Amino acid sequence: MTEHEAELETRLREIEDPLVGEDVVTMELINDVEIEDGTASISLAFNTPFAPAELELGNAIREAVRDVGLEPDLYAEAGAEHGFDEEVMPNVRNVVAVASGKGGVGKTTVAANLAAGLEQMGARVGLLDADIHGPNAPRVLPVEEEPGVTPQEKIVPPTADGVKVMSMSFLMGEKDDPAILRGPMVNNVMTHFFENVEWGALDYLVVDLPPGTGDASLDLVQTLPVAGVVIVTTPQQMAVDDARKGLRLFEKHDTPVLGIVENMSLYHCPSCEETHDPFGRGGAEEIADSYDVDLLGQIPIHEDFGADGTDDPAVKLEGSPVREPIVELVDSIADRVGEVNRRKVADMLELGGRKEDKSPVEESPQGGPGPKL
């Protein structure tokens, strides 16, 4: 090992994952390093594009490379050897489900704003409106065209300001027609959306699940490699109790719960300038503490979030008082997905599923480079 290589490895071992608390070398987030002509080409086991914590880690790695007198060239390369499924939906990096224990808590609005917020970061995003009994995602992310069809008879989802959107509402005759579906039919529709929609390459597929703990939720966790689930509730005790049931469903099926979102948490009165909590307070914190999950965000009651009359989701409404907490929520969810992914890489090492322990700086790249960072 040359002096450059030894110094670079020492510096890399000083870079700690801000969410996991271990260094990037120990976690085997550094696949390999090749130094040539003054440039250090580094392959990273990153799978969460534009997540703030991964961007922070990338910047820290670049700084470490420059500190030893080299130019950094970083790219992401994560696959089956790191614990990621490449068979079911090989072109989709992360499936993020949004669920709720009951209807009427703003789950669809959260899902649509999450998709729009991730797209605003620069990610390639799809939104699957799997709430087949009440498909309302196109109300929050309106599309201007109808779905297309490929020569192979796959559905091409239309886009809403950069987000690919697929919804049961596109397949219904009239917008007011009810979706009268039962268990086996629900499963067939879900499978159809996964297998027969041409999503293309996506960094994130956000899935808006039906409320409750029925067949669609079970089918999702049993069919797809879900990166994590976001559970939406309101402060009302009934909604909190039902959110607990949903959380237990996903835990029972070993699906990572990214955290809890509390919608309608507060109301700021524009007339009296006081803040009120009309639906109570403390329910989401109680769930988070009881099940040791994150409280990802609290969204106040506001007409921009969940009400008709706006042309864009609230996350894209510059100047809206509700935009900032939604942007922070999107950042928190992306970071939690990244944390789950990086822990998965580290867990593969503990299970002995990957290469023997040796210096990443001494290894040569395996295959072609992945996406630039």
Side-chain angles (χ1 to χ4, degrees), residues 159 184 347:
T159 60
D347 289 345

Side-chain angles (χ1 to χ4, degrees), residues 241-303:
D241 291 343
D242 287 340
R244 289 175 178 273
K245 297 173 185 176
L247 191 151
R248 286 197 292 268
L249 167 74
F250 294 111
E251 283 192 337
K252 182 178 179 181
H253 288 83
D254 297 323
T255 303
V257 175
L258 302 176
I260 308 293
V261 176
E262 185 179 74
N263 190 25
M264 309 180 198
S265 61
L266 295 170
Y267 173 68
H268 181 73
C269 176
S271 299
C272 66
E273 293 297 328
E274 292 185 2
T275 299
H276 308 275
D277 46 359
F279 298 125
R281 180 178 293 182
E285 290 96 332
E286 179 186 336
I287 298 176
D289 292 341
S290 298
Y291 289 90
D292 193 24
V293 297
D294 288 349
L295 178 57
L296 297 167
Q298 294 174 292
I299 308 299
I301 299 171
H302 194 277
E303 61 183 1

Side-chain angles (χ1 to χ4, degrees), residues 232-245:
V232 182
T233 186
T234 64
Q236 293 165 299
Q237 193 59 50
M238 186 181 297
V240 170
D241 291 343
D242 287 340
R244 289 175 178 273
K245 297 173 185 176

Side-chain angles (χ1 to χ4, degrees), residues 38-118:
T39 297
S41 298
I42 303 179
S43 166
L44 300 170
F46 285 3
N47 198 50
T48 323
F50 301 99
E54 285 198 1
L55 293 175
E56 180 183 335
L57 281 171
N59 289 333
I61 291 169
R62 287 189 181 90
E63 183 178 348
V65 172
R66 293 191 178 104
D67 283 348
V68 300
L70 299 169
E71 279 299 309
D73 181 23
L74 310 185
Y75 55 94
E77 198 166 34
E81 70 274 19
H82 302 94
F84 299 106
D85 192 299
E86 293 187 318
E87 295 182 3
V88 179
M89 296 188 79
N91 293 323
V92 178
R93 285 179 172 234
N94 299 284
V95 178
V96 181
V98 181
S100 67
K102 67 187 298 295
V105 299
K107 169 184 55 62
T108 295
T109 310
V110 169
N113 275 272
L114 171 60
L118 291 168

Side-chain angles (χ1 to χ4, degrees), residues 13 140 261:
R13 288 187 182 276
V140 189
V261 176

